[in-house]
Every structure is written in C-alpha cells, then in structure tokens.
Amino acid sequence: MATIKDIAQLVGVSSATVSRVLNYDETISVNEETREAIFEAAEKLQYRKKVVYPKIENVALLFWSSDKEELEDIYYRSICEEMRRQAEKRNVQITLITKSDGIESVPPNAKAFIGIGWFSQKEIDALKKITDQGVFVETSPDESLYDSVRSNLDSIVTQIVDFFVAKKHKNIGFIGPSDYDIQTFEKVMDVRQWSFIESVKYYGLYQERNIYVADALTVKEGYRIGIRMVEELGNRLPTAVCIASDTLAVGILQAFNEKGVLIPKRTEVFSINDINVAQYVSPPLTTFHIDIPAMCESALDLLQERLIKKREITKTVYINGKPIFRKSCVK
C-alpha cells in the first residue's frame, strides 16, 4: 500500500508538503505544477488516505421491529446488524434498545438516536424531550426536526409498473399493506399502493378489483390473499402482480402454486426487498434489491453532519433499488 513517503520520493518534495497538499491545506505555498504532480503521483500509486472519524458517544440505536412480522423482520434485522457494523467502523458508540425495552429505556443523556422501524407519535414526543438529533430509517415521521433515510418505494413501484406495461400487460394487480397514522393508529394508504394506483392510471389500466390490501406483512397473510384473489377473480386474475414485500410474495407464490396458477406463464410476480429467502422459493422471486449498506452509510453520514458539522437544516435521503430478475418474472 502506497504511503505519503512514497509520493514524496516520486515527486521530489518533503512528506510534510505531500500531506498538506492532500489535505487541501490552503496555507501551504506550492506552485500549481507541484500540486498537480502530487495528486497525479497519489493516483498513480493508488494512494488511499486513511480516514479518521471523530468519536461520537451516547447514540441510541432504536430497533423498533416485531418478531410477529416473520420474514419482514429479517429485513429490519439486516439493517440493524449493518448499522452496528458500520457504526463501529466510524467510531460511533451506540447502545441497542429494542421495542420490547420500551422508549423509556432511552438514556436521558443520549446525544442522538438512529431509529429503525415504525414509531408512534407518543414515542416520538418522548424522544423530543431527550434530543433533537436523530435519524429515522425507512420512516420519516417528523421531517421538520429529524433526518431520515428511506428506500425510494414510489420510484420502485413506478418502475415495476413501467416494466409490466413495456411487456404489454394490460391486467396488472397489486398486493400490499396499509400504513398507519402515528397519532390515531388508523389505517392510511401506503406509499406503494398510492404509487401503483397513480402509475396504472397514467397508462389507463386502473382496475380497483386488482388491488388487495393486506392486514399484516406475513407469509400467512400473503397466502390468504393469494387464495382469495384466485377464487374471486378466476379468469380475470391479473397477468402481472406487483407485491409490496417479499414476505407477502412468499405466501402469494404458495397460494398460486396450490391453485395451479403457473408462474410466470399465467401470471408474472415482481416484489420488493430481496431478502435472502427470495432466491430459494419456487419459482425464485424477481424482486427489487434494496441496498442496505448504502442506507446505513447515508444514515451515519447524516448523523455526523448534524453532530460534527452542526448542520441545522434537516434532510431526507431516498435510496433507489436495483431489479434482480429470477424465474417469477422474466426479463
């Protein structure tokens, strides 16, 4: 691995000069030719500057997921594990607090928090009394005060519909969950359902009968809806279905297989999340991959900006996905 000394020897300057140039020290007096030579040598030798992250203490990692959500919990646990790994690498000291511990377990001296999962207004109000520095992952309950990082579900669903339309599908269905109002807990339309409706309306293909709203994100619920779709729609069953989550999709595949619906010959299935089990079901599931490392990296970037650089304006970052084509939907 190249060092500053190696660059200095190649250019013919001191190590101190190389160090100050590479760190963009504006007080150093060197001509432009030498400055360019240093950067060219660094690139030629593939020099990688060591990043030293300032220490950040007293950060609460709030893991607000439920084991009752079965496979969906795998997705959130993957985020939690990756966040812990990256936080350690970045010198961010975190304390894990789970939903079962309760919001009252957040230390009163917490400088900031990273929240993974769904939080009620009561819980958010409790956090506000402790700190105004926090990042939510996969939700954005208070964008006026806290930062957030979310997968770009609106864009992802639109891309799925565009894909189906490009393949000449005219009978397109959707299966997904409700969202919930954080104050009243009443059901509201989830962004994935909203995006689907707007997208198929744009193409003049909206059919209300093709939309099924799940009561929960579980395999069992996916199976129940799959059976119901086949029985209610019969020959009108969609030729392509956008499913909001791999968890539901696993149950849908089970139901369709049981009812003799051939996938993808009769109906193509496209899902979201790309959890590990997606590649092992029958048929293997075509799904949008969510880049969890990129999501965690962005969340920690936001946290450091607020705590170290003292940024005052809040940010919401959307992470796009990548389609992974398997046998449930042919590319």
Side-chain angles (χ1 to χ4, degrees):
M1 181 179 294
T3 64
I4 286 178
K5 184 177 180 181
D6 296 330
I7 299 171
Q9 290 176 345
L10 183 61
V11 179
V13 295
S14 68
S15 295
T17 297
V18 172
S19 177
R20 292 175 67 183
V21 168
L22 293 180
N23 283 286
Y24 300 94
D25 186 346
E26 296 180 358
T27 64
I28 187 173
S29 178
V30 296
N31 59 47
E32 193 62 30
E33 183 179 350
T34 300
R35 189 184 300 273
E36 290 181 3
I38 290 173
F39 280 107
E40 288 176 2
E43 185 176 354
K44 179 179 179 181
L45 296 174
Q46 296 183 326
Y47 171 75
R48 294 292 179 268
K49 184 168 64 174
K50 182 179 180 181
V51 179
V52 178
Y53 293 104
K55 187 176 183 179
I56 299 177
E57 299 179 298
N58 301 328
V59 176
L61 178 59
L62 311 180
F63 181 56
W64 248 238
S65 185
S66 171
D67 292 335
K68 295 179 181 179
E69 293 175 341
E70 297 178 339
L71 293 182
E72 193 71 13
D73 187 57
I74 295 176
Y75 173 66
Y76 286 107
R77 286 190 181 278
S78 297
I79 296 175
C80 185
E81 291 170 6
E82 178 65 19
M83 193 72 74
R84 295 176 73 177
R85 186 189 70 80
Q86 289 197 25
E88 182 178 2
K89 182 179 178 181
R90 290 197 182 206
N91 207 17
V92 178
Q93 295 188 346
I94 58 176
T95 300
L96 178 64
I97 300 171
T98 66
K99 188 174 182 178
S100 59
D101 295 327
I103 204 71
E104 62 274 7
S105 298
V106 178
N109 66 336
K111 289 182 179 178
F113 67 85
I114 300 172
I116 303 172
W118 192 90
F119 295 79
S120 69
Q121 185 63 58
K122 182 178 180 181
E123 291 167 331
I124 294 168
D125 290 340
L127 290 172
K128 289 180 180 178
K129 295 178 181 179
I130 299 172
T131 178
D132 59 359
Q133 305 291 342
V135 182
F136 286 99
V137 179
E138 283 296 34
T139 57
S140 50
D142 192 340
E143 295 181 355
S144 66
L145 184 62
Y146 297 119
D147 294 336
S148 60
V149 179
R150 306 186 65 173
S151 46
N152 197 348
L153 298 176
D154 182 6
S155 174
I156 288 172
V157 171
T158 298
Q159 290 178 64
I160 293 175
V161 173
D162 289 345
F163 172 79
F164 284 150
V165 171
K167 294 191 69 178
K168 309 302 181 182
H169 286 288
K170 298 185 181 300
N171 187 14
I172 305 172
F174 174 84
I175 302 168
S178 294
D179 200 354
Y180 291 87
D181 186 287
I182 62 174
Q183 293 182 328
T184 65
F185 295 96
E186 293 181 357
K187 292 182 178 180
V188 295
M189 186 179 293
D190 182 82
V191 63
R192 288 162 287 193
Q193 181 182 344
W194 178 88
S195 180
F196 176 83
I197 291 174
E198 292 303 308
S199 296
V200 291
K201 280 184 176 180
Y202 173 80
Y203 289 110
L205 300 175
Y206 175 67
Q207 298 184 73
E208 187 176 356
R209 69 166 187 258
N210 285 344
I211 296 178
Y212 284 77
V213 179
D215 292 331
L217 282 172
T218 63
V219 174
K220 182 178 180 180
E221 179 68 358
Y223 173 81
R224 183 188 71 81
I225 288 181
I227 295 294
R228 180 183 163 196
M229 283 186 74
V230 176
E231 292 179 347
E232 288 183 351
L233 299 179
N235 293 332
R236 299 180 301 172
L237 186 72
T239 59
V241 181
C242 171
I243 304 178
S245 165
D246 291 347
T247 307
L248 289 173
V250 171
I252 296 294
L253 293 182
Q254 291 176 355
F256 281 9
N257 286 332
E258 184 177 307
K259 287 292 188 178
V261 177
L262 299 180
I263 305 171
K265 186 176 181 179
R266 170 59 180 84
T267 299
E268 295 194 88
V269 173
F270 208 137
S271 183
I272 302 172
N273 276 5
D274 193 30
I275 60 176
N276 288 336
V277 73
Q279 60 187 308
Y280 300 117
V281 294
S282 180
L285 190 60
T286 291
T287 180
F288 253 87
H289 175 77
I290 305 298
D291 194 331
I292 290 176
M295 188 174 293
C296 295
E297 180 181 358
S298 295
L300 291 169
D301 284 345
L302 294 175
L303 188 73
Q304 290 177 320
E305 287 176 11
R306 292 293 294 271
L307 294 178
I308 297 173
K309 298 181 180 180
K310 306 302 180 181
R311 171 173 52 82
E312 296 182 357
I313 303 300
T314 60
K315 288 184 180 181
T316 298
V317 176
Y318 287 95
I319 305 296
N320 289 316
K322 177 183 178 181
I324 305 298
F325 288 94
R326 300 190 180 99
K327 293 183 178 180
S328 74
C329 185
V330 181
K331 186 174 182 180

